[in-house]
Amino acid sequence: MNSAPASPMNVPAGAERATIAAGCFWGVEHMYRKAFANKGLLDARVGYIGGDTDSPSYRAVCSGRTGHAEALQVIYDPEKLSYRTILEFFYKMHDPTTANRQGPDVGSQYRSGIFYHNEAQEKEARSITEQVNQHWWKGGVVTEVLPAGEWWDAETYHQLYLDKNPSGYECPSHFLRSFPPLAP
């Protein structure tokens, strides 16, 4: 098993970055890659964000003592895939009403979070969160909306984990829910 960090992502000119946490990052990455392949997703990487330890390891993050969330960072073409679409998918593919938990996975590393990279993303994240809280999740959303801060790539063996291990663990709360469209 390769425990080295993954190589840095290539971010082409004009591309944007979105960072979300929705429980076990293997399933989150797998769902985003499947849904948005050839539809504006340029790259995706699992890693750690929101903690207070430099260069955290998977084992340290799983202990719950680093403060990091398991997260997904998406590089996307905003001409083909909107930030709004990324966030709406986020709120459909996991349960944002459980604090520090997704299905059987319990701990702060499994919290629901949107980590914005600029003021426009913050505004959009807060607006979408308010709408889905009211219309889809009936006031139960506990998702954090925070500035992105330091990102740490997860170890290489975590990248594309479910592609490499098709029968690997998938959180049972990761599935696409059907909700009515939100107002623009």
Side-chain angles (χ1 to χ4, degrees), residues 6-65:
S7 58
M9 280 199 288
N10 178 29
V11 182
E16 294 189 17
R17 182 182 314 258
T19 305
I20 50 105
C24 178
F25 53 22
W26 296 334
V28 179
E29 177 191 30
H30 192 70
M31 287 187 73
Y32 269 85
R33 284 186 180 277
K34 191 173 170 184
F36 299 112
N38 302 312
K39 296 177 184 170
L41 185 141
L42 303 174
D43 201 358
R45 188 67 56 91
V46 295
Y48 317 113
I49 195 165
D52 54 14
T53 303
D54 286 347
S55 300
S57 68
Y58 180 68
R59 193 163 291 206
V61 170
C62 285
S63 76
R65 293 190 299 266

Side-chain angles (χ1 to χ4, degrees), residues 119-130:
E119 195 174 304
Q121 282 190 353
E122 178 185 15
K123 183 178 178 185
E124 188 79 20
R126 293 192 187 284
S127 173
I128 295 290
T129 300
E130 185 177 311

Side-chain angles (χ1 to χ4, degrees), residues 47-119:
Y48 317 113
I49 195 165
D52 54 14
T53 303
D54 286 347
S55 300
S57 68
Y58 180 68
R59 193 163 291 206
V61 170
C62 285
S63 76
R65 293 190 299 266
T66 70
H68 290 89
E70 288 191 18
L72 178 70
Q73 195 160 89
V74 172
I75 304 300
Y76 64 99
D77 179 347
E79 298 292 319
K80 296 179 181 174
L81 178 60
S82 71
Y83 188 62
R84 178 184 183 95
T85 299
I86 289 168
L87 296 185
E88 286 183 9
F89 186 82
F90 166 79
Y91 279 115
K92 290 177 181 178
M93 60 77 52
H94 84 296
D95 181 353
T97 68
T98 54
N100 299 325
R101 166 181 218 132
Q102 280 301 299
D105 300 330
V106 179
S108 61
Q109 68 271 28
Y110 300 117
R111 66 190 180 268
S112 176
I114 299 169
F115 298 87
Y116 57 84
H117 293 273
N118 56 47
E119 195 174 304

